[in-house]
């Protein structure tokens, strides 16, 4: 694709990818926005939208022609997401992409309690095996999602016990990603565990959400059996219910615990904690 920017950004129609794309545009960085629907592509300076699909190797290879650095946001949760990732990574390698910056998950491993963490680990391994350079942004649970965990009755339900997590704001992930994308050579082969500034239990999160939103929020520690039963009414496929429940069991197992200095290292600023996040975003 002659003349198109050599930095490609996926996910620009979503929350995280959209933040990254806007920050790059504000910095005057040319970018190729890889989107499934051109009509949904954000209208940004120095940005060229191009149609792509993770699951279509021919379309993906054409869209990635001439790209040197690729920001790859993980695909939407789906039963075949891992296969989509493999197809897209293979297309990137075939197109001559040199460096992939992939949004992975904190503590991703072959045996992660959080079931989707296993897919992230498998994707990392596939990227490594592709021969392309890589940087992995291993994001903790999103602070942005915490207000959404409470049901209409204001109760957060899940088998998390007294476990804690170092949840991180998407804005801090986006700022970290932009630092990497603007000078990727400095981050070759690195994995960054991106967290907030503190470990937080869901019971504590409920107290902060109550104070920060004006809505009374509480936490109910479900048993594993209760967790599956309470989610059965959604009619979701088993893999998705497993993912939902294992989000909480991963917290209980300590897999999301442990604040790091990575956000500060990359951005020069301290990451947002939950109270500050709520104050700044006015989440209701």
């Amino acid at each position: 694709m002659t003349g198109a920017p050599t930095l490609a950004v996926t996910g620009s129609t979503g929350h995280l990818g959209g933040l990254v794309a806007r920050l790059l545009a504000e910095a005057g960085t040319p970018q190729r926005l890889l989107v499934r629907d051109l009509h949904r592509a954000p209208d940004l300076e120095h940005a060229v939208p191009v149609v792509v699909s993770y699951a279509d190797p021919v379309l993906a290879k054409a869209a990635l022609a001439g790209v040197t650095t690729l920001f790859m946001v993980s695909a939407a949760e789906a039963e075949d997401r891992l296969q989509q990732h493999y197809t897209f990574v293979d297309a990137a390698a075939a197109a001559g992409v040199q460096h992939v910056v992939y949004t992975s998950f904190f503590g991703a491993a072959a045996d992660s309690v959080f079931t989707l963490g296993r897919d992230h680990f498998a994707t990392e391994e596939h990227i490594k095996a592709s021969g392309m350079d890589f940087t992995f942004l291993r994001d903790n649970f999103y602070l942005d999602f915490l207000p959404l965990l409470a049901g209409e009755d204001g109760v957060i339900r899940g088998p998390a016990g007294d476990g804690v997590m170092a949840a991180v704001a998407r804005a801090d992930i986006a700022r970290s990603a932009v630092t990497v994308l603007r000078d990727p050579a400095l981050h070759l082969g690195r994995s960054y565990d991106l967290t907030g500034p503190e470990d937080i239990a869901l019971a504590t999160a409920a107290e902060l959400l109550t104070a920060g939103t004006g809505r009374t929020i509480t936490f109910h520690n479900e048993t594993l059996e209760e967790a599956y039963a309470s989610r059965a009414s959604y009619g979701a496929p088993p893999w998705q219910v497993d993912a939902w429940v294992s989000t909480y069991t991963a917290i209980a197992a300590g897999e999301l615990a442990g604040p790091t200095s990575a956000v500060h290292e990359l951005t020069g600023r301290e990451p947002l904690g939950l109270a500050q996040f709520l104050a700044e975003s006015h989440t209701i």
Side-chain angles (χ1 to χ4, degrees):
M1 192 172 294
T2 305
T6 59
L7 167 61
V9 173
T10 68
S12 64
T13 59
H15 291 287
L16 178 59
L19 284 172
V20 170
R22 288 194 293 276
L23 289 172
L24 287 169
E26 289 170 6
T29 303
Q31 57 185 313
R32 192 181 309 189
L33 301 179
L34 304 185
V35 296
R36 287 175 294 178
D37 182 354
L38 290 178
H39 298 293
R40 294 185 59 215
D43 183 15
L44 300 173
E45 285 192 76
H46 316 295
V48 179
V50 180
V51 173
V52 76
S53 168
Y54 279 17
D56 185 330
V58 175
L59 189 60
K61 183 180 177 182
L64 291 165
V67 168
T68 56
T69 303
L70 168 64
F71 179 58
M72 180 181 171
V73 176
S74 56
E77 293 180 9
E79 191 166 13
D80 68 341
R81 177 164 75 162
L82 185 56
Q83 186 55 54
Q84 290 185 45
H85 284 181
Y86 285 178
T87 299
F88 190 60
V89 169
D90 291 345
V97 173
Q98 298 172 16
H99 190 153
V100 179
V101 180
Y102 173 65
T103 60
S104 187
F105 192 75
F106 188 88
D111 59 352
S112 292
V113 172
F114 178 48
T115 54
L116 299 185
R118 304 168 195 172
D119 290 350
H120 283 292
F121 176 75
T123 300
E124 289 184 0
E125 292 300 297
H126 199 73
I127 292 171
K128 289 178 180 178
S130 73
M132 293 182 289
D133 292 326
F134 62 87
T135 305
F136 299 140
L137 305 179
R138 289 182 151 195
D139 310 336
N140 206 289
F141 193 86
Y142 290 165
L143 275 181
D144 313 53
F145 283 173
L146 283 175
L148 307 178
L149 294 181
E152 292 183 4
D153 59 358
V155 181
I156 298 172
R157 293 179 172 84
D162 296 323
V164 297
M165 58 182 168
V168 62
R170 279 189 295 220
D172 285 319
I173 298 168
R175 284 187 281 263
S176 299
V178 167
T179 297
V180 173
L181 293 171
R182 295 194 70 197
D183 200 349
L186 295 178
H187 309 279
L188 292 179
R190 296 287 303 274
S191 292
Y192 293 102
D193 292 329
L194 301 180
T195 74
E198 61 203 350
D199 274 332
I200 187 168
L202 285 179
T204 303
E207 294 173 359
L208 290 171
L209 287 167
T210 297
T213 67
R215 182 185 179 202
T216 300
I217 307 293
T218 59
F219 168 62
H220 171 64
N221 182 39
E222 292 181 310
T223 66
L224 198 59
E225 293 73 19
E226 286 173 336
Y228 277 96
S230 66
R231 289 157 179 80
S233 63
Y234 294 106
W239 70 265
Q240 191 163 39
V241 179
D242 287 340
W244 290 342
V245 173
S246 66
T247 303
Y248 295 91
T249 54
I251 295 171
E255 287 193 351
L256 300 184
T260 73
S261 61
V263 169
H264 184 270
E265 177 185 344
L266 288 169
T267 68
R269 55 186 287 175
E270 291 300 317
L272 296 170
L274 180 56
Q276 184 182 1
F277 169 80
L278 292 171
E280 292 189 5
S281 62
H282 306 290
T283 301
I284 58 173

